[in-house]
Amino acid sequence: MLFQTIVFAPLLGAIIAGLFGRKIGDTAAQSVTTGLLILAAVLSWIGFVKTGFGHTVTDVFVMRWFDVGDMKADWFLKIDTLTAVMLVVITSVSALVHLYSWGYMSHDDSKARFFAYLSLFTFAMLMLVTADNFIQLFFGWEGVGLASYLLIGFWYKKPTANAAAIKAFVTNRVGDVGLALGVMTVFLVFGSVKFDTVFAQVADNKDLVLPFLGMEFNAIELMAGLLFIGAMGKSAQFFLHVWLPDAMEGPTPVSALIHAATMVTAGVFMVCRCFPIFEAAPITSGAIAIIGALTAFFAATVALVQNDIKRVIAYSTCSQLGYMFFAAGLGLYNAAMFHLFTHAFFKALLFLCAGSVIHALHHEQDMRKMGGTYKLIPLTYIFMIIGTLAITGVGIPGTKLGFAGFLSKDVIIEGAYAASAGGAYAPAVIAFVAGLIAALFTSFYSWRLIFMTFHGKHRGEPDVLKHAHEAPPAMMIPLIMLAFGAVFAGMFFYKHFVGDYAAGFWAHALPANTAYSGTGVAPGMAAEAAHGAEAAHGDSHSDGHGDDHGSDHSDGHHAFPTWVLWSPFVAMVIGFVTAWLMYMVKGGAAKRAAASMRGEGGVLYKFLLNKWYVDEIYDVIFVKGLRRLGDIFWKILDVRIIDNLGPNGFAKLASGTAGKLSKLQSGYLFHYALVMLIGVAAIIVLVFSKVSGG
């Protein structure tokens, strides 16, 4: 009952709070949902230790589900190391978000509804990650989309919140079409939707060709590409990323839940879960690496100039997801999951700290109207610093000493360098360069946020500071626990994701080639990445230091060149120094904020501020065209043709006929007598015609 309780406890909480919230009251609804999430989180950690350290796989039968013709999909909970890691991430962050929401949503009138939505969201994500077949995965996938729509648009009286919820829902539907077609292709090729059955047959069908859209494609490449389109929508990769920043219209706890541990990581999880398909699709895997690298770079550039504190962190999420995807595209699945794991802690911390700032400043989110707050909310300031040190990757290169983001992000960058095969494999080269540039930009915009929010003179209304105060304990406790994870998660769990121990740890879930998997994209390169990364960071057999020229160590691992080990660190330092010079030296923060409000900064600044004009391009290409097409269907096909010939036509005919017949009802006796005579005459004529005819 361990894993059944983990999955269904949030659903029980959602039902109680959603259906009976008004009867039992807000406090009871909050207590039930939060208590059940804490229970699920505790059990998830127990399951993580039991499953991960025991290297076991468990399939828990729930019920018979689909049995239509040849398609059978029973409801099983697939529990392996990959699932166990996701259960820990989802339930831990969700439990802390529930607790945090006690303070953040204390003045809201719909707390029971909000907590019901949070728990429903969590249940849908748990359904997704415990799926043992594509139908169940799709069910959880769509459930997360529905719950996110409800949460983003929670404050439905705000037009911007409604618009953001619709945008998220519609954009994800675009990606979900790809996912649905991918699942259909899987069933067409393999005759099954069960993961184990499908994955076992991939090698036998690697040369199969299928027609699609008038062309012929390799079947495995086609299904991998379609599945990745779904991942692009859910995990906000470039082209389908436009919904993610607007999702900030929801309450801040929603932002933390969506961006840190649940919805946006679903795509990364799906690619890692389906690694046999993607490893047999080298073209698609290369495209994943390139799109992930582009997303990491694009989102980081946009975050440089954003002024809304939550939007900066939102674009940061988009960028970090790019790291995870280009790692997965290069076959570095363990590294992608490592960064997903650590990212949950420091990104949730950053969002909840932002919520604490917003709470203290009476819902002000514009950093240009902040400043001078670090003395008023010192604990929030400290925790935000910890989150910033984690996301920017502060640590000692060549060792396993550093904040969570240092270890997980650096192994991705180093792995991309090794997978590039000295520049022979273009997607890995692009990923390596984009990863370094994004690391520099991440450091800049993260410290820019710190300096604009907490330092310098206050640039908002003077009365706001008079009432600024630290968050209540319900909001501070989650920050403490997340800060602990942001500091120690990388160091403590490093061996579970990188190295010889990790090979056994992930044996039943991911390819077991030492630190990273091999990949069909660049055969052998990922294995080299494994050796280099492990030698660079040190393992149980090495001295923990890389040398200058990549000499061999006693354990046989090949170290990276020193410049590769130190390049992410140098990029981080350059970003910090640049932000310090621009926003702290000579009163920089106030001056830069004023310049931003006057619209200064030139063409490049406006280009980045307007997010590369992607929304505007989509508006011209898709939105306006679809609106015109909708008007044509509405005004011509619907109103003029269907309505005029259908409901309106029949109504008009009935009305006209009734009007003419009503004139016969004159009330004069001789009119009625005349009608009667005409009727009698008609009957006589009819009778005589029958008789004569007979």
Side-chain angles (χ1 to χ4, degrees):
M1 291 297 292
L2 174 67
F3 296 106
Q4 293 97 317
T5 303
I6 294 171
V7 173
F8 291 105
L11 177 62
L12 177 62
I15 292 173
I16 294 174
L19 299 182
F20 308 104
R22 292 186 179 180
K23 293 184 179 180
I24 64 178
D26 288 339
T27 301
Q30 292 173 246
S31 300
V32 169
T33 52
T34 305
L36 288 173
L37 251 300
I38 292 174
L39 172 64
V42 172
L43 294 179
S44 294
W45 281 98
I46 294 174
F48 176 70
V49 173
K50 180 179 178 181
T51 303
F53 292 91
H55 313 305
T56 59
V57 176
T58 304
D59 287 330
V60 181
F61 178 75
V62 177
M63 61 180 286
R64 183 181 179 186
W65 198 8
F66 279 88
D67 192 346
V68 181
D70 295 331
M71 188 179 75
K72 293 178 174 59
D74 291 330
W75 189 348
F76 274 93
L77 304 181
K78 182 179 181 63
I79 308 298
D80 58 8
T81 309
L82 186 62
T83 304
V85 169
M86 293 302 297
L87 291 180
V88 165
V89 170
I90 294 165
T91 57
S92 298
V93 174
S94 183
L96 295 175
V97 167
H98 274 72
L99 181 59
Y100 180 91
S101 299
W102 278 67
Y104 194 86
M105 302 295 290
S106 60
H107 301 295
D108 197 278
D109 296 330
S110 303
K111 288 188 283 290
R113 178 167 63 91
F114 180 76
F115 278 79
Y117 289 169
L118 286 181
S119 292
L120 178 63
F121 190 105
T122 307
F123 166 72
M125 191 65 192
L126 293 175
M127 276 285 295
L128 192 159
V129 301
T130 57
D132 91 320
N133 61 77
F134 283 96
I135 299 297
Q136 186 179 334
L137 180 141
F138 191 78
F139 178 85
W141 196 275
E142 295 303 304
V144 170
L146 169 64
S148 67
Y149 169 79
L150 297 173
L151 286 167
I152 295 169
F154 178 76
W155 287 323
Y156 58 87
K157 294 182 180 179
K158 291 174 57 180
T160 52
N162 287 326
I166 293 172
K167 187 175 183 179
F169 194 80
V170 171
T171 305
N172 274 275
R173 296 294 72 73
V174 174
D176 292 351
V177 170
L179 179 65
L181 291 174
V183 174
M184 295 175 194
T185 306
V186 167
F187 183 71
L188 175 66
V189 173
F190 301 109
S192 174
V193 292
K194 188 175 178 63
F195 290 149
D196 293 342
T197 303
V198 169
F199 299 157
Q201 300 180 41
V202 169
D204 296 333
N205 291 273
K206 63 181 180 179
D207 297 323
L208 180 66
V209 176
L210 289 178
F212 184 70
L213 299 178
M215 297 176 283
E216 290 189 340
F217 295 89
N218 177 276
I220 306 300
E221 291 282 4
L222 177 62
M223 71 177 66
L226 291 171
L227 292 173
F228 177 62
I229 291 174
M232 287 176 65
K234 198 66 71 183
S235 294
Q237 293 302 281
F238 192 70
F239 299 120
L240 293 180
H241 69 279
V242 292
W243 67 271
L244 191 64
D246 290 351
M248 297 302 96
E249 291 294 337
T252 299
V254 173
S255 303
L257 193 60
I258 290 177
H259 289 70
T262 52
M263 183 171 175
V264 296
T265 61
V268 179
F269 166 81
M270 189 265 288
V271 171
C272 291
R273 169 64 77 200
C274 300
F275 78 87
I277 294 177
F278 289 95
E279 287 214 324
I283 297 174
T284 300
S285 293
I288 292 173
I290 292 173
I291 291 176
L294 176 60
T295 303
F297 174 76
F298 156 76
T301 63
V302 175
L304 295 174
V305 298
Q306 295 300 305
N307 296 310
D308 185 306
I309 187 172
K310 288 171 64 176
R311 283 181 179 266
V312 174
I313 305 174
Y315 277 105
S316 171
T317 297
C318 197
S319 181
Q320 298 304 308
L321 287 167
Y323 278 99
M324 300 175 207
F325 270 106
F326 78 64
L330 296 174
L332 312 175
Y333 303 105
N334 297 31
M337 289 303 301
F338 190 21
H339 199 49
L340 185 155
F341 180 76
T342 61
H343 177 264
F345 292 103
F346 60 73
K347 186 50 60 70
L349 176 62
L350 289 171
F351 265 116
L352 296 186
C353 282
S356 183
V357 172
I358 295 168
H359 182 269
L361 300 180
H362 299 277
H363 302 286
E364 179 60 67
Q365 295 183 200
D366 192 335
M367 296 188 300
R368 295 170 297 181
K369 299 179 181 179
M370 297 181 184
T373 60
Y374 74 95
K375 292 182 179 179
L376 301 174
I377 46 175
L379 293 178
T380 299
Y381 174 67
I382 292 172
F383 292 135
M384 185 71 94
I385 290 289
I386 292 174
T388 300
L389 294 173
I391 193 173
T392 56
V394 174
I396 304 174
T399 72
K400 290 185 287 186
L401 298 177
F403 288 81
F406 161 73
L407 291 165
S408 60
K409 186 161 61 176
D410 278 22
V411 295
I412 290 177
I413 294 175
E414 292 158 7
Y417 168 80
S420 68
Y425 185 55
V429 175
I430 294 171
F432 176 70
V433 174
L436 286 179
I437 297 174
L440 188 154
F441 290 165
T442 299
S443 180
F444 176 85
Y445 66 66
S446 297
W447 288 108
R448 172 180 178 265
L449 184 152
I450 293 291
F451 299 147
M452 290 185 68
T453 302
F454 296 100
H455 293 275
K457 295 181 180 179
H458 185 68
R459 299 175 296 279
E461 295 294 330
D463 292 339
V464 172
L465 280 186
K466 295 180 181 179
H467 303 286
H469 56 86
E470 196 64 88
M475 295 173 64
M476 297 307 299
I477 293 173
L479 298 186
I480 295 171
M481 299 182 73
L482 290 170
F484 185 84
V487 175
F488 297 107
M491 292 183 286
F492 186 80
F493 290 102
Y494 179 86
K495 72 174 184 177
H496 296 88
F497 292 89
V498 181
D500 292 332
Y501 181 86
F505 182 73
W506 292 98
H508 300 290
L510 295 177
N513 294 345
T514 59
Y516 303 103
S517 70
T519 174
V521 180
M525 291 305 101
E528 182 181 343
H531 296 162
E534 194 164 330
H537 289 285
D539 65 6
S540 58
H541 304 290
S542 69
D543 60 8
H545 298 280
D547 60 17
D548 290 342
H549 304 288
S551 61
D552 290 335
H553 289 254
S554 59
D555 61 356
H557 288 158
H558 188 72
F560 288 107
T562 301
W563 72 269
V564 174
L565 296 177
W566 282 84
S567 54
F569 180 84
V570 172
M572 178 270 297
V573 172
I574 292 174
F576 168 76
V577 172
T578 304
W580 176 272
L581 293 175
M582 290 184 65
Y583 290 92
M584 293 299 292
V585 176
K586 298 180 180 179
K591 183 178 180 180
R592 300 299 172 189
S596 297
M597 296 181 74
R598 291 196 301 270
E600 297 177 2
V603 175
L604 179 59
Y605 174 83
K606 293 179 180 179
F607 177 74
L608 298 180
L609 187 64
N610 287 282
K611 302 158 289 188
W612 291 25
Y613 294 100
V614 174
D615 283 281
E616 288 78 4
I617 293 172
Y618 283 0
D619 187 60
V620 172
I621 297 176
F622 300 112
V623 178
K624 290 182 178 179
L626 290 174
R627 185 178 291 121
R628 292 192 189 99
L629 183 62
D631 287 342
I632 291 173
F633 281 115
W634 166 42
K635 296 179 180 179
I636 298 177
L637 182 62
D638 191 20
V639 176
R640 295 184 183 179
I641 298 177
I642 296 177
D643 284 351
N644 282 343
L645 296 179
N648 293 345
F650 285 112
K652 186 177 181 180
L653 178 62
S655 177
T657 304
K660 293 177 180 178
L661 291 176
S662 67
K663 295 180 180 179
L664 299 176
Q665 305 296 322
S666 63
Y668 294 106
L669 181 61
F670 61 86
H671 284 171
Y672 298 146
L674 176 62
V675 172
M676 291 174 65
L677 288 174
I678 294 173
V680 170
I683 293 173
I684 293 172
V685 171
L686 181 62
V687 170
F688 275 101
S689 65
K690 290 286 187 180
V691 172
S692 61

